Amino acid sequence: MTNTTDNVSSEKIMKFWDKDEIRHLNEQFEEAEPYSVLKWIWENFGDEAAMGTGFGPSGILLTHIVAKSDFDLPIFYLDTGLFFSETYKLRDELEKKFDLSFVRVSTDLSVKDQEIEYGSELWKRNPNKCCFLRKVLPLKNYMADKKVWITGVRRSQSDTRKDTQLFEWDPLNEVIKVNPLATWTTQDVWAYIRLNELPYNPLHDDGYPSIGCIPCTHRVQPGDHERAGRWGGLDKTECGIHLPTQNDGSV
Ligand code: SF4
């Protein structure tokens, strides 16, 4: 890290995010609806906050709230170049429906160049490295001038997410991470989607409750956990942006 980055980091930490303040925010917004959380973020941080989505149900719900509230929060997606065609179609459909443009965040390393540099199908041999190159690092670069990262992470999604707080410090990106749906269940989210007749990825109706990159997303069996189809057969449950221990770590 350069001195400049150190200075920016220190400024961010000192000015905004000490532990007591985060605890206070969690207490203040404990019972709050996602709308109130997003409103507070917009009013306090404007476009120094950004919301990430992979176009899953939680992200669609939050995008709907942002769009109908006229918060001009940037909404970005980490495009690995390895998404299902259904995901890209859904992106286009959501942009049209909500009259907004998602910010595409990606690596300059094309899938083909990755193959040349690291060998074919890196996701099979070293998925942590692959996620680091295609997701963790692009996110870190995008977050460099942000102070807040809003996500759709929920406690009920998996064991690794069960301790998710509404407001958390993200040491990797040096931003406050806000999870307005932390306490929502999968059923809550789908009820919202259906009530508001929002579009969603048709693969969800075909055995894929959680959808990421093609090589690392598989159908689940009835009764499986909703993220069971991600990195199936590998000792990996997260891409590393939400759980830094599951990325290559070589920032
Ligand atoms: S999810 Fe799989 S293909 Fe996508 S970036 Fe991670 S390892 Fe690579």
Side-chain angles (χ1 to χ4, degrees):
M1 242 184 229
T2 65
N3 281 341
T4 309
T5 310
D6 277 344
N7 290 341
V8 171
S9 304
S10 303
E11 255 177 48
K12 277 182 174 181
I13 293 166
M14 281 165 34
K15 198 164 173 190
F16 298 101
W17 307 121
D18 62 66
K19 276 184 187 165
D20 283 344
E21 187 165 9
I22 290 175
R23 187 169 40 76
H24 177 69
L25 286 169
N26 276 315
E27 287 166 4
Q28 183 183 345
F29 287 97
E30 196 178 347
E31 308 278 327
E33 288 296 317
Y35 166 81
S36 306
V37 177
L38 293 169
K39 182 169 184 281
W40 183 85
I41 293 169
W42 172 243
E43 288 174 353
N44 284 278
F45 295 97
D47 62 8
E48 286 186 308
M51 189 168 93
T53 179
F55 309 112
S58 302
I60 294 167
L61 185 163
L62 291 173
T63 302
H64 180 238
I65 295 174
V66 168
K68 74 178 180 170
S69 308
D70 282 333
F71 304 148
D72 204 11
L73 283 166
I75 308 177
F76 70 95
Y77 66 107
L78 291 168
D79 190 354
T80 62
L82 289 158
F83 290 165
F84 290 87
S85 61
E86 288 87 345
T87 304
Y88 290 113
K89 272 187 209 148
L90 176 62
R91 172 200 60 190
D92 296 345
E93 191 180 353
L94 292 168
E95 284 188 331
K96 201 166 165 198
K97 180 174 178 66
F98 296 139
D99 191 24
L100 53 78
S101 294
F102 294 107
V103 179
R104 177 177 180 269
V105 176
S106 70
T107 172
D108 291 337
L109 187 72
S110 70
V111 175
K112 198 163 181 48
D113 287 344
Q114 179 171 300
E115 185 171 333
I116 292 166
E117 198 166 328
Y118 296 94
S120 67
E121 300 185 316
L122 182 60
W123 44 84
K124 281 188 182 165
R125 290 175 290 107
N126 190 344
N128 284 352
K129 181 76 176 180
C130 186
C131 276
F132 177 76
L133 293 168
R134 311 205 73 75
K135 298 178 94 170
V136 176
L137 201 49
L139 175 67
K140 187 168 174 62
N141 290 338
Y142 181 64
M143 282 288 128
D145 64 353
K146 300 290 181 203
K147 292 178 179 145
V148 177
W149 170 28
I150 305 159
T151 88
V153 170
R154 293 179 288 107
R155 289 175 194 161
S156 69
Q157 284 176 305
S158 66
D159 260 9
T160 51
R161 299 185 174 193
K162 68 180 175 6
D163 296 323
T164 299
Q165 299 296 305
L166 195 54
F167 289 82
E168 301 175 328
W169 174 251
D170 172 9
L172 185 59
N173 296 299
E174 298 174 324
V175 291
I176 190 85
K177 188 172 163 191
V178 186
N179 311 297
L181 300 177
T183 60
W184 283 48
T185 65
T186 303
Q187 291 74 16
D188 293 336
V189 173
W190 277 106
Y192 183 102
I193 297 276
R194 298 199 195 287
L195 181 69
N196 292 284
E197 299 180 344
L198 301 180
Y200 61 88
N201 197 319
L203 293 172
H204 290 310
D205 293 333
D206 193 21
Y208 296 86
S210 175
I211 300 165
C213 297
I214 295 171
C216 301
T217 304
H218 306 284
R219 278 195 181 83
V220 300
Q221 299 302 314
D224 276 350
H225 205 275
E226 73 179 82
R227 287 180 60 83
R230 305 291 293 276
W231 301 282
L234 296 173
D235 183 22
K236 183 171 173 67
T237 54
E238 294 277 349
C239 65
I241 60 172
H242 298 301
L243 193 66
T245 53
Q246 291 194 17
N247 71 57
D248 166 272
S250 53
V251 178

